[in-house]
């Protein structure tokens, strides 16, 4: 199943075709920022930016997955979208207990019903939402074909026409991708904006690179992203300091010898790359925010540092990586083109906390100051 999806979204050039849709979502997000600023006492502050980036990430990923808009960034969010956000919130709040719910034996469920009930309720909510959107789109495609028109579109159209997945498999994959693609992207964006606001000198350097290579207002395409290596470096450095998934794991498929120790086949290995990301041996002055450490001098040397592997590695690495990168790169460019981002006096030092995912422990409030 995974290989069918991978063919369409594995490489940056595969996802480049979605840049137009993502830029439309960014235009809506920027409109929303202006609206929120207009409501603020100082005309600049947007409180709890994660709320905004959550809506952006959900709208962005849904636009790609369902080839339709959800209305997350509108003033009145449609009820079905609100229900989904509630189901996602429930999944997230009960993550620590519900993640074990699947392992509760059937006979024990009536005795401790709550985790299993909530696990089912949240998954049912998420699944139902994807099902409605997939069905709507597939109905449109079918109508087009019935009229003798050629159906053209994105991911869902391809999955439908290629018939490589059953309808149930399409629902399941869309549900999983939507679930996996929202909080991950929004927390990363929140940290990136927080770090830029806390480090104005870095922000200025990134901004200068954008203006020099792309201009002050030109809406970037996917092909423009390599022209601003500091924007890519910013994302890598943000994920090094705050990897949304701070740990990873694998079960060994064969006997291995690592550092003189025999690890037998079938052993569960846990890797905490949050820890390796902070080792000076891997990253000199590791505690410091220095995006430029990821730049390749003269484009000669590739920076491959396995101390930080925020998207995992290998056959089961993050399938949405290129989508997340495109969403984040295009948004950071356009935010910096328009605004100087300053920390609000209400935001103290924000610590990371884990709740399944590594997330900001306190709300982040920033000031979006219009550039002249
Ligand atoms: C900054 C954003 C993101 C980060 C840091 C992230 C990180 C990860 C990590 C660490 C894994 C586990 C990989 C492994 O075990 O090696 C993963 C898996 C996954 N991610 Fe992401 N992810 C992000 C965004 C997304 C997006 C936008 C989508 C969907 C469009 C997505 C879909 C998935 C899926 C479906 C899996 C499971 C893959 C499998 O088991 O085969 N992710 N992600």
């Amino acid at each position: 199943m995974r290989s069918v999806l991978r063919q369409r979204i594995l490489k940056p050039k595969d996802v480049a075709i979605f840049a137009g849709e993502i830029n439309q979502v960014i235009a809506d997000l920027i409109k929303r920022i202006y609206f929120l600023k207009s409501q603020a006492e100082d005309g600049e502050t947007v409180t709890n930016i994660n709320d905004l980036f959550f809506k952006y990430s959900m709208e962005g990923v849904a636009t790609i997955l369902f080839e339709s808009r959800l209305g997350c960034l509108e003033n009145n969010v449609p009820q079905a979208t609100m229900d989904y956000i509630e189901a996602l919130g429930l999944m997230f709040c009960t993550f620590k207990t519900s993640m074990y719910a699947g392992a509760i034996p059937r006979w024990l469920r009536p005795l401790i019903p709550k985790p299993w009930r909530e696990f089912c309720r949240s998954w049912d909510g998420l699944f139902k939402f994807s099902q409605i959107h997939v069905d709507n789109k597939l109905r449109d495609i079918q109508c087009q074909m019935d009229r003798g028109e050629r159906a053209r579109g994105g991911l869902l159209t391809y999955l439908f026409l290629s018939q490589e997945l059953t309808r149930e498999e399409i629902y399941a994959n869309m549900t999983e991708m939507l679930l996996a693609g929202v909080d991950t992207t929004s927390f990363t964006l929140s940290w990136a904006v927080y770090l830029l606001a806390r480090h104005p000198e870095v922000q200025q350097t990134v901004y200068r690179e954008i203006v020099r290579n792309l201009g002050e207002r030109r809406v970037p395409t996917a092909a423009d992203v390599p022209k601003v290596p500091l924007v890519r470096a910013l994302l890598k450095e943000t994920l090094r300091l705050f990897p949304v998934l701070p740990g990873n794991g694998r079960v060994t498929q064969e006997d291995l010898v690592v550092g003189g120790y025999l690890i037998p086949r079938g052993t569960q290995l846990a890797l905490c790359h949050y820890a390796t990301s902070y080792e000076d041996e891997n990253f000199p002055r590791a505690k410091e925010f220095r995006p430029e450490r990821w730049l390749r001098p003269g484009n000669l040397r590739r920076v491959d540092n396995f101390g930080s592997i925020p998207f995992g590695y290998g056959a089961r690495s993050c399938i949405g990586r290129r989508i997340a990168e495109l969403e984040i790169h295009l948004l950071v460019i356009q935010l910096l083109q328009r605004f100087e981002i300053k920390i609000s006096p209400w935001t103290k030092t924000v610590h990371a906390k884990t709740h399944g995912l590594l997330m900001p422990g306190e709300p982040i409030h920033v000031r979006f100051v219009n550039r002249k």
Side-chain angles (χ1 to χ4, degrees), residues 86-87 90 115-127:
E86 200 232 323
L90 181 67
W116 179 250
R117 203 176 45 227
E118 290 199 336
F119 179 75
C120 294
R121 189 156 77 87
S122 55
W123 270 107
D124 283 349
L126 302 178
F127 202 86

Side-chain angles (χ1 to χ4, degrees), residues 92 95-96 99 244-247 353-359:
F92 199 55
F95 189 71
K96 279 187 186 154
M99 70 188 277
V244 195
L245 282 144
K353 75 168 185 188
T354 47
H355 191 98
L357 302 181
L358 193 76
M359 59 185 284

